[in-house]
Amino acid sequence: MVNVGVLGATGMVGQRFIQLLDKHPDFEITALAASSRSAGKRYEDATTWYLNESMPESVKDITVCETSPEAMSNDVDILFSSLPTEFAAKVEPEFAKDYVVASNASAMRMVDDVPLVIPEVNPEFLDLIEIQQKNRGWDGFIVTNPNCSTIALTLTLKPIYDAFKINKVYVSTMQAVSGAGYNGVPSMAIVDNLIPYIGNEEEKMESETLHLLGNLDGTDVVNADFSLSASCHRVGVIDGHTEAVFVELDKNEDIADIKNVMVNFKGLPQELDLYSSPKNPVIVKDEDDRPQPRLDRLSDNGMAVTVGRLRKDAAMDNSFKYVLVGHNTIRGAAGASVLNAELINKKIL
């Protein structure tokens, strides 16, 4: 059993980490860290629990510690980070001197020697760990997962990118309010409304997707060679990001062949039968009115991305379009870090 801890344990993504790690066959939560306001308190007393599922009994009596290496227990092997970006940029490298850090924070994602990984898409990027440790003199290391909307998009593009040549991708997102945290979007701002801007979200999707689908050339990542344009919007859905995706290929392809590669797509987590891996990372629906966040966000425990309305796009040559739904705090956040950690535990530790 691997002892693990959660940084930012009282927030929404931190709570999702705890829910996913409770009763995990390989990981046991032994440490929870949060702000100085929570430090020294029992987790149950320090936390306003936001998830529908009850707080696990196993964590209620854990004493929350300060978010610093000095306060962290020495018997922890992996730390899961859901820290705010600015704080993560300062604290995660300090922890990585001695601990394995599986981070959902954006601070280190695009740093040259830090692997940005979706296990089904680019597990070979974990080779950067050795370079990172050598560069920095660390005994531990940091591995990051991408932005929530990026993960859902990239999982659906990977089988297409491997089978065909993509020229351009356009994506328009309709993102759930949980992606901004419990206090992130006031109810008066989102009820009866749509917010057509999410700070830095479009830039993250455009840069991270091309990075993830690129190739690791020694110590450098060579980005995928197509263009991507994203437009990101916040909508009044609690959980589950929806994305409308438009793909232009270099030549005309049969829509049945496109569907076939998506349906049959599997990656290393499926080969290794990792605990959190979905049986099928991409599920394709044939109904005209699917996917929908409320009906499809929890597909395969929230770890699969559901695709529907896969069809030709008559407005552009050699093009097709589809709609996807992915659970933004499970597959798009905590679940992504947990799956990364399962792969690290299997292949590296």
Side-chain angles (χ1 to χ4, degrees):
M1 188 69 75
V2 177
N3 291 340
V4 301
V6 179
L7 308 179
T10 58
M12 284 195 71
V13 175
Q15 293 178 25
R16 188 66 77 179
F17 271 123
I18 288 169
Q19 181 220 356
L20 295 176
L21 292 166
D22 183 50
K23 299 182 175 61
H24 194 288
D26 303 318
F27 301 145
E28 181 178 0
I29 300 172
T30 59
L32 299 173
S35 68
S36 56
R37 296 189 306 273
S38 301
K41 299 179 182 178
R42 295 171 62 249
Y43 183 72
E44 184 177 26
D45 297 332
T47 306
T48 301
W49 190 257
Y50 300 122
L51 304 185
N52 292 334
E53 303 84 355
S54 298
M55 180 186 293
E57 292 291 330
S58 61
V59 299
K60 289 182 177 180
D61 290 328
I62 294 178
T63 300
V64 178
C65 69
E66 291 268 7
T67 308
S68 69
E70 295 76 21
M72 183 57 58
S73 169
N74 290 328
D75 68 350
V76 174
D77 302 299
I78 299 174
L79 290 170
F80 295 98
S81 173
S82 60
L83 296 172
T85 299
E86 290 185 5
F87 189 43
K90 300 175 183 177
V91 172
E92 287 182 355
E94 291 300 313
F95 278 105
K97 292 176 182 178
D98 298 300
Y99 299 93
V100 174
V101 179
S103 177
N104 179 63
S106 63
M108 304 289 288
R109 283 178 190 160
M110 300 303 288
V111 176
D112 288 346
D113 61 358
V114 175
L116 178 68
V117 174
I118 301 174
E120 292 95 339
V121 174
N122 62 332
E124 68 277 7
F125 281 26
L126 292 178
D127 290 348
L128 287 169
I129 289 170
E130 185 176 346
I131 296 166
Q132 180 189 134
Q133 291 178 314
K134 182 178 179 181
N135 286 348
R136 298 166 184 265
W138 291 349
D139 292 324
F141 55 85
I142 299 173
V143 172
T144 62
N145 57 261
N147 181 50
C148 47
S149 50
T150 299
I151 290 174
L153 175 65
T154 306
L155 277 169
T156 65
L157 288 178
K158 173 63 173 174
I160 298 165
Y161 184 73
D162 286 349
F164 312 109
K165 181 171 174 51
I166 297 176
N167 286 344
K168 297 177 183 177
V169 173
Y170 303 93
V171 57
S172 181
T173 73
M174 293 145 277
Q175 297 184 214
V177 292
S178 60
Y182 190 82
N183 296 315
V185 182
S187 60
M188 287 290 286
I190 198 65
V191 174
D192 189 33
N193 201 19
L194 181 152
I195 300 171
Y197 172 74
I198 305 172
N200 299 317
E201 196 80 359
E202 293 165 0
E203 294 84 355
K204 290 175 185 176
M205 289 196 76
E206 291 169 355
S207 61
E208 291 176 9
T209 303
L210 297 178
H211 181 92
L212 289 156
L213 291 172
N215 294 311
L216 182 61
D217 182 10
T219 62
D220 299 316
V221 174
V222 179
N223 281 356
D225 60 347
F226 62 88
S227 60
L228 191 155
S229 178
S231 183
C232 297
H233 323 96
R234 189 75 70 192
V235 297
V237 172
I238 295 175
D239 289 314
H241 288 354
T242 302
E243 304 178 19
V245 185
F246 304 79
V247 181
E248 178 189 292
L249 302 176
D250 73 327
K251 62 180 181 178
N252 188 45
E253 301 287 352
D254 192 284
I255 204 72
D257 294 334
I258 295 167
K259 177 182 177 181
N260 186 60
V261 299
M262 297 176 86
V263 167
N264 291 303
F265 170 55
K266 294 183 187 293
L268 186 57
Q270 288 71 42
E271 294 176 19
L272 297 175
D273 195 26
L274 298 181
Y275 177 73
S276 298
S277 65
K279 181 179 178 182
N280 296 101
V282 180
I283 297 169
V284 181
K285 294 280 188 179
D286 293 321
E287 298 93 326
D288 290 337
D289 60 350
R290 300 286 285 278
Q292 299 177 28
R294 197 166 63 189
L295 299 179
D296 296 300
R297 60 193 170 203
L298 288 174
S299 295
D300 212 329
N301 299 313
M303 291 296 287
V305 177
T306 303
V307 165
R309 304 207 64 214
L310 179 61
R311 64 223 190 267
K312 286 287 189 178
D313 186 353
M316 297 190 296
D317 293 337
N318 307 326
S319 298
F320 63 96
K321 51 190 174 180
Y322 58 92
V323 177
L324 69 83
V325 165
H327 199 300
N328 53 296
T329 65
I330 300 180
R331 185 69 220 222
S337 289
V338 171
L339 190 60
N340 277 352
E342 290 171 359
L343 181 59
I344 290 166
N345 185 45
K346 189 85 170 181
K347 302 292 286 186
I348 297 173
L349 298 185

